[in-house]
């Protein structure tokens, strides 16, 4: 084989593999945040490539809001078993049950993930936490470093970010601090889908068009579920939909779509005039700086 | 032609940099409807009649409150001709370190000036930083050209002054382009303006789409910092021992003779592995795993290099540092140096010069280097490291200076003296050059 310049996907893949290996070389207890969504599934695929033929030297961590899509949990467990990985689960429900967290009036549990996440990081003494965040998702995420230091409260401090120079990543941290690592920083949503197609990566079925009973709330099609819907005045209707992101069921909306396979999804994403978060994530609509505020608290 | 251009913006506060970046995203239709709606709403909330495009990029709460950019952000956009990764860096003096961050990987720098003010101190500083960090090409966007009545002589004067500065920094004239623009109104950013009929050059986007990109030098000597040793110890791979890393420079082929540094052992490449199967060769930018003929003691931090053209292995470095910390650097400082995949203890034994980016001259033996200052230093490392000169290799010629106590990044380090041309500049001649801003 002759090698010339890498194409875009090859360059992004190489960069992500480099980041995984840097963390493996410099940290004691890394962990990969894994929800079964497309970005974390991609993350895991890249981790497997980075250490082949050796196994991935990190466990996975899922912060479970309790508001899951069954297809995603089934997928998560199947992937973990197939690759012989270790999965830790931090459950929001446990915190609600024993009173450490209170259910929000709007029923969404996405913001409630922060405390169980930080407790899991502290409890397991994780010092590097991989996430699938991308800079193209949101303005505050565009400011994120690839190695992003969090203080002992798990907080992001944008004014104190370290300069990130060349591809020399500084992972130094003091006891109690940890580093969030974002190997997909430079990927766009479309890059993610092109790569999933190129590599033939399996995803939860809800990413592709299927029939589902949904109801309309705040302009989004939400699925029936334990998160309290439909309420009075909200009517279930059958639609052909798919999901662009997978998160807490209470605030992750479906989009009407006939895209039943990956080529159709790529065509749809390329033509879409809405960002994936704007289209389907209610929690980002709360304020102009919703994401930044949550990241400052310790959210991903 | 490369399908990707990495660029970094720089400019003074209030030169309209965020607006220019917002305009570039807006006019290339890289902004989706919901994002645009949010900007329309936020602009209306602020009582503005037209959307404030800077809100597309200033994402942090305090940036939006103060109307300034605080931190570097990365933007992605594409046209049918090319994809772009844009490092949007702040102009404020106290955040010059972010210009260093953006410039470290950029292939092109876009500097902004306000047409009413012309080339100012920050412009000269940023151009010097871009030159020092080896950014191959510059664009000067002369912004707010509408506010000087689209006046050709004003533009010509600024362009001439900037060209003189850039060539004094070592840029060839064809590596520097000046463009009159109005980021607010959109003149010559993406759409050609009919209000500057005297300007015959490209719009900013046309230039970005067509400017040559220097490729990764595949013919450079092979360099491979070892990141991680892959030893599966599984039934299928009981004896596998591979050296994982990213090719930093050059090309490696199966059968090549290599040297392992710093210890100098030699071996031959017997395989180049990836999860997708073996390769015959790998080039700069590729993450691979190397298999060697001999069972050597190689670990993270070692550098595998072309045996015929090895780097210099030394524990006495001459280097240039961009000081990025509020804590000043004094001679005798004990620090950590991260070079490639190796972090070593080090001491800055001597501060030799401080570079004055205004006069393009160096002063002798400063007592200290403060935040945003650039100087040449002597560094002694606790163990030898294999280095190349920065002007020959941006990867193996660069290092981080890290505070051993709190882990913060103190400085960007560049091996050698990447602005050697300046040593020959006569200070009087530089002063006599039209390097002083003519003012508004």
């Amino acid at each position: 084989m002759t090698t010339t310049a890498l194409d875009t996907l090859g360059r992004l893949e190489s960069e992500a593999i480099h980041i995984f290996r840097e963390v493996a070389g410099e940290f004691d207890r890394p962990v990969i945040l894994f929800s079964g969504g497309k970005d974390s599934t991609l993350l895991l695929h890249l981790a497997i490539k980075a250490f082949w033929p050796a196994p991935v030297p990190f466990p996975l961590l899922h912060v479970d809001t309790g508001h899951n899509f069954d297809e995603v949990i089934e997928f998560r467990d199947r992937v973990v078993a197939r690759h012989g990985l270790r999965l830790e689960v931090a459950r929001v429900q446990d915190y609600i049950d024993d009173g450490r967290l209170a259910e929000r009036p709007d029923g969404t549990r996405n913001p409630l993930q922060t405390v169980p996440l930080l407790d899991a990081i502290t409890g397991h003494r994780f010092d590097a936490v991989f996430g699938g965040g991308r800079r193209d998702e949101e303005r505050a995420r565009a400011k994120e470093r690839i190695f992003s230091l969090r203080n002992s409260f798990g907080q992001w401090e944008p004014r104190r970010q370290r300069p990130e120079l060349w591809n020399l990543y500084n992972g130094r941290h003091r006891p109690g601090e940890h580093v969030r690592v974002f190997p997909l920083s430079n990927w766009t949503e479309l890059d993610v889908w092109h790569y999933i197609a190129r590599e033939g990566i399996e995803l939860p079925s809800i990413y592709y068009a299927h029939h589902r009973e949904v109801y309309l709330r705040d302009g989004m099609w939400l699925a029936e579920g334990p998160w309290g819907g439909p309420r009075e005045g909200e009517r279930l209707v059958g639609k052909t939909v798919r999901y662009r992101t997978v998160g807490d069921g209470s605030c992750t909306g479906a989009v009407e779509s006939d895209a039943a396979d990956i080529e159709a999804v790529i065509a749809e994403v390329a033509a879409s005039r809405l960002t994936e978060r704007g289209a389907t994530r209610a929690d980002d609509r709360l304020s102009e700086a919703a994401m930044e505020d949550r990241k400052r608290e310790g959210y991903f | 032609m490369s399908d990707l251009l990495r660029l970094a913006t720089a400019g003074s506060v209030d030169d309209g940099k965020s607006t220019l970046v917002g305009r570039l995203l807006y006019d290339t239709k890289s902004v989706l409807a919901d994002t645009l709606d949010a900007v329309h709403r936020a602009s209306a909330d602020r009582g503005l009649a037209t959307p404030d495009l800077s809100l597309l990029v200033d994402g942090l709460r305090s940036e939006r409150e103060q109307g300034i950019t605080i931190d570097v952000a990365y933007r992605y956009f594409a046209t049918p001709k090319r994809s772009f990764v844009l490092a949007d860096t702040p102009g404020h003096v106290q955040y010059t370190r972010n210009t260093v961050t953006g410039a470290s990987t950029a292939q092109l720098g876009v500097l902004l000036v306000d047409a009413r003010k012309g080339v100012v101190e920050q412009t000269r500083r940023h151009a010097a930083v871009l030159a020092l960090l080896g950014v191959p090409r510059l664009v000067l966007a002369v912004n707010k050209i509408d506010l000087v009545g689209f006046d050709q002589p004003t533009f010509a004067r600024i362009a001439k002054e900037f060209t003189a500065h850039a060539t004094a920094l070592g840029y060839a004239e064809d590596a520097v382009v000046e463009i009159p623009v109005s980021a607010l109104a959109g003149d010559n950013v993406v759409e050609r303006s009919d209000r500057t009929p005297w300007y015959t050059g490209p719009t900013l986007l046309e230039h970005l789409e067509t400017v040559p990109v220097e490729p990764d030098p595949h013919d450079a000597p092979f360099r491979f910092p070892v990141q991680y040793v892959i030893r599966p110890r599984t039934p299928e791979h009981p004896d596998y021992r591979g050296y994982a890393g990213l090719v930093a420079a050059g090309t490696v082929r199966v059968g090549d003779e290599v040297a392992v540094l710093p210890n100098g052992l030699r071996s031959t490449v017997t395989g180049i592995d990836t999860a997708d199967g073996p390769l015959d060769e790998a080039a700069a930018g590729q993450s691979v795993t190397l298999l060697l003929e001999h069972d050597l003691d190689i670990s993270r931090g070692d550098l595998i290099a072309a045996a015929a053209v090895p780097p210099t292995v030394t524990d006495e470095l001459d280097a240039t540092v961009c000081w990025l910390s509020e804590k000043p650097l004094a001679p005798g400082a004990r620090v950590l140096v991260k070079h490639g995949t190796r972090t070593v203890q080090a001491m800055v034994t001597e501060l030799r010069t401080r570079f004055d980016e205004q006069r393009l001259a160096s002063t002798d033996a400063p007592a200290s280097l403060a935040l945003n200052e650039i100087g040449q230093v002597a560094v002694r490392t606790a163990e030898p490291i294999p280095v190349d000169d920065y002007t020959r290799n941006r990867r193996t010629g660069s290092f981080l200076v890290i505070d051993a106590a709190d882990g913060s990044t103190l400085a960007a380090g560049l091996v050698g003296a990447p602005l050697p041309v300046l040593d020959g500049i006569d200070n009087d001649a530089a002063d006599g050059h039209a390097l002083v801003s003519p003012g508004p």
Side-chain angles (χ1 to χ4, degrees):
Chain A
M1 147 178 189
T2 324
T3 20
T4 50
L6 294 172
D7 63 4
T8 299
L9 293 181
R11 196 166 37 230
L12 291 169
E13 179 192 71
S14 255
E15 180 186 68
I17 287 173
H18 176 252
I19 293 162
F20 272 112
R21 291 165 169 176
E22 280 300 283
V23 171
E26 297 233 318
F27 290 83
D28 294 327
R29 298 174 69 86
V31 68
I32 301 175
L33 279 193
F34 185 72
S35 66
K38 69 176 188 315
D39 296 312
S40 56
T41 301
L42 179 55
L43 213 51
L44 179 59
H45 180 86
L46 290 162
I48 290 167
K49 282 194 153 187
F51 300 102
W52 179 92
V56 176
F58 321 121
L60 307 180
L61 170 66
H62 181 211
V63 183
D64 180 352
T65 65
H67 289 168
N68 300 297
F69 294 91
D70 294 341
E71 299 92 329
V72 178
I73 295 296
E74 180 271 329
F75 172 80
R76 178 197 79 182
D77 293 340
R78 193 152 42 82
V79 168
V80 167
R82 187 198 302 154
H83 297 293
L85 298 160
R86 182 160 68 87
L87 173 73
E88 303 286 349
V89 181
R91 290 183 178 80
V92 172
Q93 190 65 52
D94 293 347
Y95 283 70
I96 292 174
D97 290 347
D98 65 16
R100 281 176 290 170
L101 286 174
E103 197 88 72
R104 292 162 51 100
D106 61 6
T108 181
R109 287 184 174 179
N110 237 23
L112 301 184
Q113 293 179 80
T114 301
V115 172
L117 169 65
L118 295 179
D119 282 354
I121 291 170
T122 310
H124 291 281
R125 292 181 290 114
F126 293 132
D127 54 1
V129 182
F130 289 101
R134 308 190 317 266
R135 288 172 177 152
D136 82 323
E137 284 181 83
E138 209 274 337
R139 280 179 312 228
R141 284 216 162 133
K143 303 261 170 186
E144 186 77 82
R145 300 288 189 263
I146 290 173
F147 274 41
S148 187
L149 185 68
R150 300 300 159 111
N151 66 20
S152 54
F153 292 91
Q155 292 173 307
W156 185 53
E157 298 174 282
R159 277 172 185 275
R160 291 192 50 224
Q161 294 201 91
R162 290 173 179 166
E164 204 153 80
L165 302 147
W166 301 286
N167 62 351
L168 294 171
Y169 303 110
N170 178 359
R172 296 252 152 192
H173 58 283
R174 287 180 283 200
E177 296 175 339
H178 70 276
V179 174
R180 303 275 171 99
V181 184
F182 300 100
L184 305 184
S185 285
N186 291 324
W187 298 57
T188 64
E189 185 187 14
L190 212 47
D191 292 329
V192 166
W193 280 109
H194 279 301
Y195 188 77
I196 286 167
R198 188 181 93 173
E199 301 283 302
I201 299 170
E202 187 197 353
L203 291 183
S205 57
I206 67 171
Y207 279 106
Y208 302 104
H210 56 287
H211 183 83
R212 190 178 283 271
E213 297 283 307
V214 289
Y215 60 93
L216 195 62
R217 181 183 292 173
D218 299 334
M220 286 197 319
W221 291 107
L222 297 181
E224 198 180 6
W227 42 84
R231 296 185 197 133
E232 216 176 300
E234 293 170 340
R235 196 167 53 84
L236 278 177
V237 286
K239 292 238 171 241
T240 303
V241 297
R242 69 173 202 89
Y243 286 84
R244 281 176 77 177
T245 66
V246 166
D248 185 66
S250 65
C251 62
T252 303
V255 290
E256 290 187 71
S257 169
D258 294 320
D261 59 33
I262 187 117
E263 282 73 27
V265 168
I266 288 174
E268 185 182 283
V269 170
S272 173
R273 297 299 303 147
L274 293 179
T275 62
E276 60 184 286
R277 290 199 158 260
T280 63
R281 292 296 273 267
D283 48 331
D284 289 334
R285 298 179 176 180
L286 297 175
S287 86
E288 250 189 70
M291 175 71 86
E292 178 187 355
D293 293 346
R294 278 182 290 143
K295 281 158 63 74
R296 282 175 182 276
E297 289 167 12
Y299 184 80
F300 243 85
Chain B
M1 191 173 81
S2 168
D3 67 338
L4 177 82
L5 178 72
R6 303 183 69 101
L7 60 151
T9 62
S12 277
V13 162
D14 292 333
D15 281 348
K17 203 156 38 61
S18 295
T19 308
L20 181 76
V21 174
R23 169 64 65 185
L24 211 44
L25 298 176
Y26 181 82
D27 282 1
T28 53
K29 311 216 170 11
S30 309
V31 184
L32 297 181
D34 54 321
T35 308
L36 204 54
D37 285 348
V39 167
H40 279 282
R41 271 200 311 277
S43 302
D45 289 348
R46 286 164 169 74
L48 303 173
T50 53
D52 177 356
L53 294 180
S54 74
L55 295 177
L56 285 173
V57 295
D58 286 340
L60 299 176
R61 199 172 265 287
S62 43
E63 292 179 326
R64 295 159 82 87
E65 282 162 8
Q66 298 173 45
I68 61 166
T69 307
I70 289 171
D71 202 355
V72 62
Y74 293 87
R75 314 283 165 194
Y76 307 85
F77 64 101
T79 68
K81 292 193 178 145
R82 205 172 244 182
S83 299
F84 302 91
V85 178
L86 186 152
D88 179 18
T89 76
H92 208 274
V93 176
Q94 77 189 94
Y95 301 114
T96 297
R97 59 182 169 196
N98 290 319
T99 305
V100 175
T101 298
S104 70
T105 52
Q107 295 154 322
L108 175 119
V110 179
L111 281 155
L112 247 82
V113 295
D114 183 328
R116 296 169 300 175
K117 297 176 186 158
V119 174
V120 295
E121 183 183 336
Q122 265 308 63
T123 321
R124 286 189 287 270
R125 173 177 292 133
H126 285 157
V129 169
L130 293 169
L132 179 76
L133 284 151
V135 177
R137 288 168 189 276
L138 297 183
V139 174
L140 185 76
V142 181
N143 192 26
K144 308 192 186 183
I145 195 75
D146 49 330
L147 299 185
V148 295
F150 300 96
D151 182 45
Q152 194 273 340
T154 302
F155 172 74
R157 194 186 70 229
I158 294 168
K160 186 172 173 220
E161 184 182 347
F162 185 73
T163 302
H165 182 67
T167 48
L169 287 167
Y171 283 99
E173 279 200 35
D174 65 358
V176 182
V177 169
E178 294 88 4
I179 303 172
V181 304
S182 167
L184 198 64
D187 297 85
N188 293 330
V189 178
V190 171
E191 306 291 335
R192 181 163 292 279
S193 174
D194 54 16
R195 301 194 282 184
T196 52
W198 42 265
Y199 176 72
T200 54
T203 66
L204 178 60
L205 184 68
E206 283 166 2
H207 182 64
L208 298 181
E209 285 181 328
T210 53
V211 66
V213 176
E214 280 71 5
D216 284 333
H218 289 187
D219 52 356
F222 172 63
R223 301 287 184 261
F224 186 84
V226 174
Q227 286 189 280
Y228 194 78
V229 181
I230 294 188
R231 295 207 62 187
R233 296 189 183 93
T234 55
E236 304 86 60
H237 299 95
D239 302 317
Y240 189 97
R241 183 184 180 90
Y243 306 102
L246 180 99
V247 181
T251 303
V252 63
R253 289 176 196 83
V254 174
D256 279 359
E257 202 193 338
V258 291
V260 180
L261 303 166
N263 62 23
L265 298 170
R266 296 199 166 208
S267 190
T268 304
V269 176
T270 55
I272 304 170
D273 262 351
T274 71
D276 295 314
L279 305 175
D280 296 329
E281 69 171 48
Q286 277 182 285
S287 279
V288 296
T289 300
L290 296 187
L291 307 176
L292 300 184
E293 184 182 359
H294 303 95
D295 199 8
L296 303 176
D297 177 18
I298 301 173
S299 57
R300 176 173 171 83
D302 288 335
L303 182 87
I304 300 177
V309 203
T312 308
V313 178
T314 179
D315 58 4
E316 299 275 352
L317 281 181
D318 292 323
T320 302
V321 291
C322 304
W323 201 251
L324 307 174
S325 169
E326 278 89 9
K327 284 179 260 184
L329 170 66
R334 290 179 181 278
V335 295
L336 296 173
V337 160
K338 181 171 185 184
H339 172 261
T341 52
R342 177 174 291 242
T343 303
V344 297
Q345 301 216 33
M347 183 191 281
V348 180
T349 52
E350 197 184 330
L351 307 192
R352 293 197 171 135
T353 64
R354 177 167 56 215
F355 173 60
D356 179 340
E357 68 276 345
Q358 296 306 307
R359 295 171 61 232
L360 294 185
S362 293
T363 53
D364 281 343
S368 66
L369 281 183
L371 176 65
N372 296 324
E373 290 188 332
I374 296 166
Q376 287 180 14
V377 300
V379 180
R380 202 173 78 230
T381 54
E383 38 193 302
I385 54 174
V387 296
D388 288 298
D389 201 271
Y390 185 81
T391 55
R392 288 172 188 270
N393 191 323
R394 272 169 109 175
R395 295 288 180 217
T396 48
S398 57
F399 60 91
L400 300 183
V401 181
I402 296 172
D403 186 319
D406 68 7
S408 62
T409 300
L410 298 170
L414 301 86
V415 177
L419 284 174
V421 63
L422 296 172
D423 294 342
I425 289 186
D426 179 331
N427 289 342
D428 294 336
D431 286 342
H433 226 283
L435 285 175
V436 179
S437 167

PDB file of all heavy atoms in Angstrom, chain A residues 106-121:
ATOM      1  N   ASP A 106     -39.807  20.138  36.116  1.00  0.00           N
ATOM      2  CA  ASP A 106     -40.017  19.887  34.691  1.00  0.00           C
ATOM      3  C   ASP A 106     -39.757  18.423  34.320  1.00  0.00           C
ATOM      4  O   ASP A 106     -39.902  18.024  33.165  1.00  0.00           O
ATOM      5  CB  ASP A 106     -39.154  20.826  33.836  1.00  0.00           C
ATOM      6  CG  ASP A 106     -37.654  20.645  34.073  1.00  0.00           C
ATOM      7  OD1 ASP A 106     -37.268  19.710  34.817  1.00  0.00           O
ATOM      8  OD2 ASP A 106     -36.863  21.435  33.528  1.00  0.00           O
ATOM      9  N   GLY A 107     -39.342  17.620  35.296  1.00  0.00           N
ATOM     10  CA  GLY A 107     -39.197  16.188  35.046  1.00  0.00           C
ATOM     11  C   GLY A 107     -37.897  15.782  34.362  1.00  0.00           C
ATOM     12  O   GLY A 107     -37.596  14.602  34.257  1.00  0.00           O
ATOM     13  N   THR A 108     -37.111  16.743  33.894  1.00  0.00           N
ATOM     14  CA  THR A 108     -35.889  16.352  33.186  1.00  0.00           C
ATOM     15  C   THR A 108     -34.802  15.996  34.193  1.00  0.00           C
ATOM     16  O   THR A 108     -34.651  16.626  35.233  1.00  0.00           O
ATOM     17  CB  THR A 108     -35.397  17.447  32.223  1.00  0.00           C
ATOM     18  OG1 THR A 108     -34.216  16.961  31.580  1.00  0.00           O
ATOM     19  CG2 THR A 108     -35.053  18.728  32.951  1.00  0.00           C
ATOM     20  N   ARG A 109     -34.065  14.967  33.847  1.00  0.00           N
ATOM     21  CA  ARG A 109     -33.005  14.532  34.765  1.00  0.00           C
ATOM     22  C   ARG A 109     -31.612  14.806  34.214  1.00  0.00           C
ATOM     23  O   ARG A 109     -30.629  14.448  34.855  1.00  0.00           O
ATOM     24  CB  ARG A 109     -33.160  13.043  35.052  1.00  0.00           C
ATOM     25  CG  ARG A 109     -34.341  12.746  35.959  1.00  0.00           C
ATOM     26  CD  ARG A 109     -34.387  11.275  36.281  1.00  0.00           C
ATOM     27  NE  ARG A 109     -35.440  10.989  37.269  1.00  0.00           N
ATOM     28  CZ  ARG A 109     -35.701   9.769  37.702  1.00  0.00           C
ATOM     29  NH1 ARG A 109     -34.996   8.746  37.268  1.00  0.00           N
ATOM     30  NH2 ARG A 109     -36.655   9.563  38.593  1.00  0.00           N
ATOM     31  N   ASN A 110     -31.524  15.408  33.035  1.00  0.00           N
ATOM     32  CA  ASN A 110     -30.198  15.642  32.474  1.00  0.00           C
ATOM     33  C   ASN A 110     -29.307  16.452  33.421  1.00  0.00           C
ATOM     34  O   ASN A 110     -28.161  16.090  33.648  1.00  0.00           O
ATOM     35  CB  ASN A 110     -30.311  16.325  31.109  1.00  0.00           C
ATOM     36  CG  ASN A 110     -29.621  15.533  30.040  1.00  0.00           C
ATOM     37  OD1 ASN A 110     -29.426  14.333  30.179  1.00  0.00           O
ATOM     38  ND2 ASN A 110     -29.220  16.191  28.965  1.00  0.00           N
ATOM     39  N   PRO A 111     -29.824  17.566  33.996  1.00  0.00           N
ATOM     40  CA  PRO A 111     -28.946  18.351  34.877  1.00  0.00           C
ATOM     41  C   PRO A 111     -28.606  17.611  36.161  1.00  0.00           C
ATOM     42  O   PRO A 111     -27.648  17.968  36.836  1.00  0.00           O
ATOM     43  CB  PRO A 111     -29.781  19.602  35.190  1.00  0.00           C
ATOM     44  CG  PRO A 111     -30.910  19.613  34.207  1.00  0.00           C
ATOM     45  CD  PRO A 111     -31.146  18.192  33.813  1.00  0.00           C
ATOM     46  N   LEU A 112     -29.382  16.585  36.499  1.00  0.00           N
ATOM     47  CA  LEU A 112     -29.135  15.862  37.747  1.00  0.00           C
ATOM     48  C   LEU A 112     -27.954  14.899  37.622  1.00  0.00           C
ATOM     49  O   LEU A 112     -27.527  14.310  38.605  1.00  0.00           O
ATOM     50  CB  LEU A 112     -30.386  15.083  38.166  1.00  0.00           C
ATOM     51  CG  LEU A 112     -31.663  15.904  38.403  1.00  0.00           C
ATOM     52  CD1 LEU A 112     -32.786  14.994  38.909  1.00  0.00           C
ATOM     53  CD2 LEU A 112     -31.425  17.030  39.402  1.00  0.00           C
ATOM     54  N   GLN A 113     -27.431  14.731  36.424  1.00  0.00           N
ATOM     55  CA  GLN A 113     -26.335  13.770  36.243  1.00  0.00           C
ATOM     56  C   GLN A 113     -25.034  14.224  36.886  1.00  0.00           C
ATOM     57  O   GLN A 113     -24.155  13.416  37.164  1.00  0.00           O
ATOM     58  CB  GLN A 113     -26.052  13.579  34.744  1.00  0.00           C
ATOM     59  CG  GLN A 113     -27.157  12.896  33.980  1.00  0.00           C
ATOM     60  CD  GLN A 113     -26.778  12.791  32.514  1.00  0.00           C
ATOM     61  OE1 GLN A 113     -26.028  11.924  32.132  1.00  0.00           O
ATOM     62  NE2 GLN A 113     -27.281  13.693  31.706  1.00  0.00           N
ATOM     63  N   THR A 114     -24.901  15.536  37.096  1.00  0.00           N
ATOM     64  CA  THR A 114     -23.614  16.086  37.512  1.00  0.00           C
ATOM     65  C   THR A 114     -23.126  15.483  38.834  1.00  0.00           C
ATOM     66  O   THR A 114     -21.973  15.068  38.950  1.00  0.00           O
ATOM     67  CB  THR A 114     -23.709  17.618  37.610  1.00  0.00           C
ATOM     68  OG1 THR A 114     -24.079  18.111  36.321  1.00  0.00           O
ATOM     69  CG2 THR A 114     -22.394  18.226  38.024  1.00  0.00           C
ATOM     70  N   VAL A 115     -24.022  15.428  39.839  1.00  0.00           N
ATOM     71  CA  VAL A 115     -23.586  14.954  41.160  1.00  0.00           C
ATOM     72  C   VAL A 115     -23.159  13.479  41.120  1.00  0.00           C
ATOM     73  O   VAL A 115     -22.064  13.144  41.572  1.00  0.00           O
ATOM     74  CB  VAL A 115     -24.673  15.235  42.220  1.00  0.00           C
ATOM     75  CG1 VAL A 115     -24.314  14.572  43.544  1.00  0.00           C
ATOM     76  CG2 VAL A 115     -24.842  16.740  42.401  1.00  0.00           C
ATOM     77  N   PRO A 116     -23.997  12.587  40.560  1.00  0.00           N
ATOM     78  CA  PRO A 116     -23.534  11.180  40.473  1.00  0.00           C
ATOM     79  C   PRO A 116     -22.244  11.033  39.666  1.00  0.00           C
ATOM     80  O   PRO A 116     -21.387  10.219  40.021  1.00  0.00           O
ATOM     81  CB  PRO A 116     -24.695  10.467  39.761  1.00  0.00           C
ATOM     82  CG  PRO A 116     -25.885  11.325  40.005  1.00  0.00           C
ATOM     83  CD  PRO A 116     -25.397  12.726  40.118  1.00  0.00           C
ATOM     84  N   LEU A 117     -22.091  11.833  38.622  1.00  0.00           N
ATOM     85  CA  LEU A 117     -20.857  11.774  37.828  1.00  0.00           C
ATOM     86  C   LEU A 117     -19.650  12.130  38.694  1.00  0.00           C
ATOM     87  O   LEU A 117     -18.654  11.397  38.727  1.00  0.00           O
ATOM     88  CB  LEU A 117     -20.953  12.730  36.628  1.00  0.00           C
ATOM     89  CG  LEU A 117     -19.657  12.975  35.859  1.00  0.00           C
ATOM     90  CD1 LEU A 117     -19.154  11.707  35.182  1.00  0.00           C
ATOM     91  CD2 LEU A 117     -19.838  14.086  34.808  1.00  0.00           C
ATOM     92  N   LEU A 118     -19.743  13.265  39.387  1.00  0.00           N
ATOM     93  CA  LEU A 118     -18.596  13.704  40.199  1.00  0.00           C
ATOM     94  C   LEU A 118     -18.329  12.721  41.343  1.00  0.00           C
ATOM     95  O   LEU A 118     -17.171  12.447  41.673  1.00  0.00           O
ATOM     96  CB  LEU A 118     -18.844  15.116  40.733  1.00  0.00           C
ATOM     97  CG  LEU A 118     -18.924  16.212  39.656  1.00  0.00           C
ATOM     98  CD1 LEU A 118     -19.201  17.565  40.290  1.00  0.00           C
ATOM     99  CD2 LEU A 118     -17.648  16.268  38.819  1.00  0.00           C
ATOM    100  N   ASP A 119     -19.399  12.187  41.949  1.00  0.00           N
ATOM    101  CA  ASP A 119     -19.210  11.186  43.008  1.00  0.00           C
ATOM    102  C   ASP A 119     -18.507   9.941  42.476  1.00  0.00           C
ATOM    103  O   ASP A 119     -17.633   9.379  43.137  1.00  0.00           O
ATOM    104  CB  ASP A 119     -20.562  10.785  43.609  1.00  0.00           C
ATOM    105  CG  ASP A 119     -21.092  11.829  44.587  1.00  0.00           C
ATOM    106  OD1 ASP A 119     -20.355  12.794  44.883  1.00  0.00           O
ATOM    107  OD2 ASP A 119     -22.237  11.675  45.056  1.00  0.00           O
ATOM    108  N   ALA A 120     -18.891   9.520  41.263  1.00  0.00           N
ATOM    109  CA  ALA A 120     -18.273   8.328  40.682  1.00  0.00           C
ATOM    110  C   ALA A 120     -16.789   8.588  40.404  1.00  0.00           C
ATOM    111  O   ALA A 120     -15.938   7.730  40.640  1.00  0.00           O
ATOM    112  CB  ALA A 120     -18.995   7.929  39.395  1.00  0.00           C
ATOM    113  N   ILE A 121     -16.492   9.788  39.918  1.00  0.00           N
ATOM    114  CA  ILE A 121     -15.093  10.128  39.627  1.00  0.00           C
ATOM    115  C   ILE A 121     -14.279  10.112  40.916  1.00  0.00           C
ATOM    116  O   ILE A 121     -13.188   9.535  40.993  1.00  0.00           O
ATOM    117  CB  ILE A 121     -15.008  11.505  38.927  1.00  0.00           C
ATOM    118  CG1 ILE A 121     -15.598  11.409  37.512  1.00  0.00           C
ATOM    119  CG2 ILE A 121     -13.571  12.012  38.897  1.00  0.00           C
ATOM    120  CD1 ILE A 121     -15.789  12.749  36.827  1.00  0.00           C
TER     121      ILE A 121
END
